[in-house]
Amino acid sequence: AKQNTTCPLTMSSADEIQQSLTKQKDESYDLLSDNLHPLDFQHRAQQFEIAKQTYLERISAEKGQPINITLPDGTVKEGNKFETRPIDIANGISKGLAQSVIAARVNGDVWDLGRPLESDCNLELLKWNDPESKEVYWHSSAHILGEAMERVYQIPLLAKGPPNKEEGGFYYEAFMGKTTVNDDDYKKLEQTIQKILKEKQSFERIEVSKEDAIEMFKYNKFKQEMLIDKVPEGAYCSVYRCGDLIDPCKGPHVLDTGRVKAFKVVKNSSSYWRADANKESLQRIYGISFPDKKELKEYVQRMEELKAIHHKTIGKKQQLWFSHEHAPGMFFFLPKGQHIFNQLLKLMEDEQKRRGFVEVQTPNMFHNELWKTSGHWYKYKDDMFQLNIDNQIHCLKPMNCPGHCLVFKHLKRSYRELPVRFSERGILHRNELKGALGGMTRLRRFQQDDAHIFCRSDQIEDEMDGCLKFMKHIYGLFGFEFKLFLSTRPETYIGDIEVWNNAEEMLQKSLENFGSEWEKDVGGGAFYGPKIDITIRDSLGRSHQCATIQLDFNLPERFELDYADEEQTMQRPVIIHRAVYGSYERFMAILTEHIKGKWPFWLSPRQVCILPVVPKFNEYAEKVAEQLSAAGVICEVDGSKNRIQKKVLNAQKEQWNFLLVVGAAEEESNTANVRIRDCDNPLGEFPVSRLIEMFQYLQNKYAMKHGLPDDLLSEEEKKQQEQAFEAGHTASAEEASAGKKQGGGKKGGKKQGGGKKGGKKQQKKTDEQPAPEQ
């Protein structure tokens, strides 16, 4: 009753409603007008009531028939067809359960809590910690945002409002004519949203014929286009009503708007309808919501922390990389950033070489006939940079696989050669829309750790196992947890369905043999074959899609690839597409935030900073630097006139892995006093030759752990390093500047060198020759 107050209708049948509607003046709708006719929403509401009446009449014959509902523990509940809802079962178990559940799973499909059950079924009740519940929760919140947008902006044309699966939360985008969203609108939207939440509006679902749905949304070009494209002829689609908002939608949704306890509008942007720059420009508003206010508070706090460790922020602070308006969707790498890139590249090349991959190089640009042969032209030509050369269309390559097919085909191949494993670090270009670009995570120009394995069918299992183990090894080095998904045949695919089924069965077997948990992503495969997608989880709890392993029977057919078997009969190979990092730039962005810009020694562009206590020891510091540089260690000398405390503080801020303090005692014994990044306590003096040995060990082991390698330390040295880590970095900038902690450690207050040797002598010399602040 509360829900219908927005459109009070007393008519009892579809015919009566239709008669009333036809009496109104037939309006000519301008689908992109800034000022829609006031009858638009009334028409939508009336059409919903007509469709609802039709729907209820259609199911009336089956309504009330007894059904059995089986719970996960085997308990069987009795219910009635098209009457009993999952929320009724939850209430029958306990009020507390009913309050905490978000959605249901019925015979494996996610289901609305308020949607009546339609047959005998298996029923699971899903709470907030279930990933599918979050998707339902945020999808419902998008509808709430859409209703608020209609109220605040006075009849915008809503386009679509999905959950944001990658980042969490949701958005709704709408055509708003000349109106644009700004930060001042957030408060108005949130105030309206709070009213909607308090009203506890039910999510009401009905099924409507395609024709009736198109009529219901005849004022909205975007809804009509989706209905025409996605709903088969003669089929039904679901439409939801929530307060004033009526929306064609697959669902499912929460029980009512009161289930959303905490809601925040977080940002806005512009976008293009269906990500096509030739189509209408839309306004997109993003939001986040939670079942309790504490989670929202934690989220806001986490977002503030993320700003400080965003890869663009760290890139600027550490002088690693930058973007420029003259090269949108592309990044410039400064020397220190290029060092990180090169080290990741070296790791990948070393690991691939160990696993039998050989590197090839293919052109950056191909005639579009190549892409027609591969099938990419018909799917992705709008995402390619096209050039007219000699009056013919050429494209910058967006992927390497067609080029690798040409490399394989160039020579006659025997079964003895297989598997052939090609790798390439070539530059790729994809014509991403401006609104889709995002730092280094989504670029127009990037490099990929791309590889393609050409193998026999009987080798697929071993090669897939090798790819999965390779991925696990690399992610293990960086401390990433990962999750596996089997992405199956999409709606638009090429090739024979039996080939697809066979490929999916092979991938499933590989996943089962690998032993890690995995989920099925129905319809998520590439157009030419199924794949295993891998998402990694970073230290902040976020998930990112990077690696992919794809099984392809179609490209070998399209390129007519073959090899001679034992009987010299020509056979088709199978292609396995493999990437671990994905794009180097994207992986670097994720890794930067994962480790918060604190690079391990082997990746770090700032490995060792040598700090003479006073300028008198600059010459010895330079001598140490020469030895380190000759051993391949990146180092610098701070030869400024700053006090040693200021030098230490600056080096810590700049994220140098090790600080070597040198003075009279160190020069005399050819040693250096060692400090670790983020630790106040010094580790003591070490001979320079021994430090070089340890630094080279760290460089070659790809170790992520900070500090000197335990394998090369004595028990006493290990203990001292552990104590330094436990003490951490507690000195404030003010204390360091004031010299309250001479050298930063407990021992350093009396001994500028910070070590057991030479402390008193060095303190005396420093007192005699004070270094002024710069």
Side-chain angles (χ1 to χ4, degrees):
K2 175 181 281 188
Q3 198 172 47
N4 289 339
T5 56
T6 57
C7 182
L9 295 171
T10 57
M11 303 163 215
S12 57
S13 72
D15 289 340
E16 289 175 306
I17 296 172
Q18 186 62 57
Q19 288 170 13
S20 173
L21 188 61
T22 53
K23 290 179 182 178
Q24 300 176 22
K25 184 178 178 181
D26 182 25
E27 300 294 334
S28 177
Y29 289 90
D30 178 359
L31 295 179
L32 290 179
S33 170
D34 284 355
N35 298 297
L36 299 178
H37 194 280
L39 289 178
D40 289 334
F41 284 0
Q42 184 180 354
H43 171 85
R44 181 178 73 181
Q46 289 174 323
Q47 287 294 321
F48 184 88
E49 287 298 329
I50 293 171
K52 177 182 176 181
Q53 191 68 31
T54 302
Y55 173 65
L56 293 176
E57 290 170 0
R58 184 160 56 88
I59 66 172
S60 60
E62 298 180 73
K63 189 175 181 181
Q65 294 178 8
I67 57 174
N68 291 323
I69 303 155
T70 305
L71 302 181
D73 64 358
T75 302
V76 177
K77 301 282 186 180
E78 294 180 351
N80 297 315
K81 197 172 184 179
F82 288 111
E83 288 181 353
T84 304
R85 306 168 300 165
I87 190 63
D88 299 325
I89 301 298
N91 271 314
I93 297 172
S94 77
K95 297 294 182 184
L97 175 64
Q99 287 297 317
S100 63
V101 291
I102 304 294
R105 190 180 287 116
V106 177
N107 292 336
D109 296 326
V110 186
W111 198 272
D112 311 72
L113 284 179
R115 176 182 172 184
L117 301 169
E118 299 174 2
S119 63
D120 292 342
C121 62
N122 296 312
L123 173 68
E124 297 175 71
L125 298 169
L126 308 179
K127 295 186 178 182
W128 171 248
N129 57 359
D130 189 296
E132 290 172 312
S133 285
K134 288 184 171 67
E135 193 172 323
V136 170
Y137 197 87
W138 285 329
H139 189 182
S140 303
S141 299
H143 279 239
I144 295 168
L145 175 59
E147 182 181 353
M149 288 168 67
E150 285 191 340
R151 290 190 190 183
V152 170
Y153 295 108
Q154 298 299 306
I155 322 182
L157 283 178
L158 295 180
K160 64 176 182 177
N164 190 337
K165 293 182 181 180
E166 187 168 331
E167 298 179 8
F170 49 89
Y171 67 82
Y172 218 123
E173 58 186 11
F175 178 82
M176 296 169 61
K178 297 176 183 178
T179 301
T180 56
V181 179
N182 58 63
D183 293 355
D184 295 336
D185 296 343
Y186 293 6
K187 186 175 181 180
K188 297 176 191 175
L189 286 165
E190 287 175 351
Q191 288 173 342
T192 304
I193 287 164
Q194 289 306 314
K195 292 178 183 177
I196 293 170
L197 303 187
K198 288 179 181 178
E199 289 171 7
K200 296 185 178 180
Q201 302 169 357
S202 297
F203 279 87
E204 183 180 6
R205 179 188 182 278
I206 62 170
E207 292 180 4
V208 183
S209 69
K210 179 175 182 176
E211 295 74 16
D212 289 345
I214 290 172
E215 172 63 26
M216 189 182 299
F217 297 96
K218 72 175 186 178
Y219 69 94
N220 189 319
K221 165 189 189 300
F222 309 105
K223 301 295 184 185
Q224 283 198 331
E225 190 174 316
M226 285 192 290
L227 290 166
I228 291 168
D229 289 352
K230 294 189 175 184
V231 182
E233 292 300 323
Y236 287 89
C237 65
S238 54
V239 176
Y240 284 81
R241 177 164 66 181
C242 169
D244 296 329
L245 181 70
I246 298 172
D247 217 355
C249 175
K250 284 185 177 180
H253 289 290
V254 298
L255 187 65
D256 60 57
T257 59
R259 295 277 166 145
V260 178
K261 303 299 183 182
F263 197 115
K264 185 174 179 62
V265 176
V266 294
K267 63 179 179 178
N268 68 278
S269 67
S270 59
S271 62
Y272 292 111
W273 172 235
R274 292 196 160 181
D276 187 342
N278 298 314
K279 296 185 182 293
E280 295 79 13
S281 178
L282 308 175
Q283 294 291 302
R284 180 180 291 183
I285 301 175
Y286 294 82
I288 190 72
S289 61
F290 294 98
D292 71 68
K293 294 180 180 178
K294 181 183 177 183
E295 284 194 70
L296 177 60
K297 185 177 179 180
E298 291 171 351
Y299 171 86
V300 171
Q301 183 179 346
R302 191 163 63 250
M303 290 302 104
E304 288 300 316
E305 293 171 356
L306 283 175
K307 289 180 184 177
I309 61 167
H310 192 276
H311 65 273
K312 290 177 72 174
T313 304
I314 288 175
K316 181 178 180 180
K317 191 174 181 180
Q318 297 186 10
Q319 300 176 11
L320 304 176
W321 44 68
F322 67 94
S323 58
H324 195 279
E325 60 184 3
H326 292 333
M330 307 177 203
F331 263 69
F332 295 78
F333 279 74
L334 297 167
K336 288 180 169 59
Q338 187 63 35
H339 169 78
I340 298 170
F341 185 97
N342 290 343
Q343 289 300 102
L344 288 173
L345 189 65
K346 180 178 182 297
L347 169 65
M348 184 54 62
E349 289 180 343
D350 289 349
E351 293 294 335
Q352 288 187 149
K353 196 174 293 182
R354 285 180 52 227
R355 290 169 171 80
F357 287 85
V358 291
E359 190 171 357
V360 298
Q361 186 178 125
T362 57
N364 262 5
M365 182 170 55
F366 291 98
H367 195 286
N368 72 335
E369 286 300 323
L370 176 80
W371 307 109
K372 289 179 180 179
T373 301
S374 69
H376 289 93
W377 182 255
Y378 309 104
K379 284 282 294 179
Y380 297 118
K381 67 178 180 179
D382 293 336
D383 298 321
M384 298 183 191
F385 287 102
Q386 301 177 25
L387 299 89
N388 189 325
I389 299 175
D390 299 329
N391 295 319
Q392 295 183 329
I393 299 174
H394 290 70
C395 304
L396 294 176
K397 65 177 178 182
M399 64 279 296
N400 289 310
C401 36
H404 287 188
C405 287
L406 297 184
V407 175
F408 182 87
K409 190 173 182 178
H410 179 68
L411 300 175
K412 291 183 178 180
R413 305 285 178 177
S414 164
Y415 73 96
R416 294 186 182 89
E417 296 177 63
L418 303 186
V420 172
R421 305 181 184 101
F422 291 149
S423 68
E424 182 170 6
R425 47 176 165 146
I427 295 170
L428 304 179
H429 291 83
R430 294 182 185 173
N431 191 14
E432 300 282 1
L433 292 169
K434 183 178 180 181
L437 302 174
M440 292 202 302
T441 60
R442 194 78 175 264
L443 295 170
R444 288 174 175 158
R445 184 265 189 205
F446 57 94
Q447 286 180 255
Q448 207 169 31
D449 66 316
D450 212 0
H452 295 91
I453 302 169
F454 298 80
C455 65
R456 305 189 307 264
S457 294
D458 63 313
Q459 296 171 324
I460 289 175
E461 190 173 327
D462 287 342
E463 292 302 310
M464 290 298 300
D465 186 60
C467 288
L468 289 167
K469 287 177 178 176
F470 187 6
M471 173 274 301
K472 183 178 181 179
H473 171 69
I474 293 293
Y475 288 165
L477 286 178
F478 296 103
F480 285 121
E481 298 175 357
F482 62 87
K483 192 171 183 179
L484 303 168
F485 296 88
L486 172 56
S487 300
T488 60
R489 185 180 68 252
E491 292 181 8
T492 54
Y493 66 94
I494 59 174
D496 184 76
I497 194 165
E498 288 303 319
V499 172
W500 273 86
N501 291 339
N502 183 41
E504 288 176 10
E505 287 176 10
M506 287 183 173
L507 288 186
Q508 182 167 331
K509 185 177 180 181
S510 295
L511 286 170
E512 289 168 351
N513 291 341
F514 186 57
S516 295
E517 291 185 5
W518 59 276
E519 295 178 14
K520 187 171 283 190
D521 177 15
V522 178
F527 73 94
Y528 50 77
K531 57 181 179 172
I532 296 173
D533 283 325
I534 299 99
T535 60
I536 56 176
R537 188 175 177 85
D538 65 18
S539 61
L540 304 163
R542 301 173 301 174
S543 294
H544 310 271
Q545 202 276 316
C546 291
T548 185
I549 305 169
Q550 303 172 9
L551 192 56
D552 187 354
F553 289 86
N554 285 303
L555 281 186
E557 285 289 339
R558 297 179 77 90
F559 280 92
E560 298 181 349
L561 305 181
D562 54 34
Y563 67 91
D565 65 13
E566 295 177 359
E567 299 176 355
Q568 297 304 302
T569 303
M570 304 313 291
Q571 302 290 347
R572 290 273 185 259
V574 179
I575 299 177
I576 297 174
H577 305 248
R578 188 237 69 202
V580 179
Y581 292 149
S583 89
Y584 282 91
E585 292 86 349
R586 175 177 169 80
F587 188 79
M588 288 173 71
I590 294 167
L591 180 61
T592 302
E593 296 170 14
H594 174 61
I595 62 177
K596 302 176 176 63
K598 296 183 182 296
W599 303 101
F601 188 85
W602 67 275
L603 270 179
S604 178
R606 294 177 175 87
Q607 293 178 331
V608 179
C609 190
I610 305 167
L611 311 176
V613 293
V614 289
K616 177 180 178 180
F617 302 107
N618 285 1
E619 185 177 343
Y620 174 64
E622 293 290 351
K623 180 182 175 183
V624 173
E626 286 178 13
Q627 295 177 65
L628 294 177
S629 295
V633 178
I634 300 172
C635 60
E636 286 184 13
V637 174
D638 183 351
S640 70
K641 294 181 180 180
N642 287 333
R643 293 181 184 276
I644 188 61
Q645 298 87 359
K646 181 72 171 177
K647 291 181 180 182
V648 168
L649 183 65
N650 288 343
Q652 287 174 332
K653 284 182 176 179
E654 292 171 0
Q655 298 299 323
W656 288 91
N657 294 76
F658 293 98
L659 284 57
L660 304 186
V661 179
V662 296
E666 289 78 14
E667 183 176 29
E668 184 179 330
S669 57
N670 196 28
T671 61
N673 196 277
V674 181
R675 291 174 179 272
I676 310 170
R677 178 180 60 199
D678 295 334
C679 292
D680 287 338
N681 290 354
L683 300 185
E685 290 179 34
F686 288 82
V688 173
S689 59
R690 191 172 171 215
L691 288 174
I692 289 174
E693 179 189 2
M694 288 192 278
F695 292 154
Q696 289 180 328
Y697 180 93
L698 291 173
Q699 186 76 38
N700 296 328
K701 286 291 186 179
Y702 299 120
M704 294 296 289
K705 182 183 175 183
H706 298 313
L708 296 173
D710 287 343
D711 293 351
L712 303 183
L713 294 177
S714 68
E715 291 302 318
E716 182 61 30
E717 289 167 341
K718 286 182 192 176
K719 185 176 180 182
Q720 190 166 356
Q721 180 163 264
E722 289 171 5
Q723 290 172 346
F725 282 132
E726 288 173 5
H729 177 57
T730 57
S732 67
E734 292 78 14
E735 288 174 328
S737 297
K740 291 181 181 179
K741 291 197 175 185
Q742 302 281 331
K746 294 178 182 178
K747 296 178 181 179
K750 294 179 180 179
K751 304 175 184 179
Q752 286 269 341
K756 296 176 181 178
K757 297 180 181 179
K760 292 181 180 179
K761 183 189 293 185
Q762 198 161 299
Q763 178 69 47
K764 182 178 179 181
K765 288 181 178 294
T766 305
D767 290 342
E768 290 172 356
Q769 299 175 353
E773 291 286 351
Q774 206 171 41

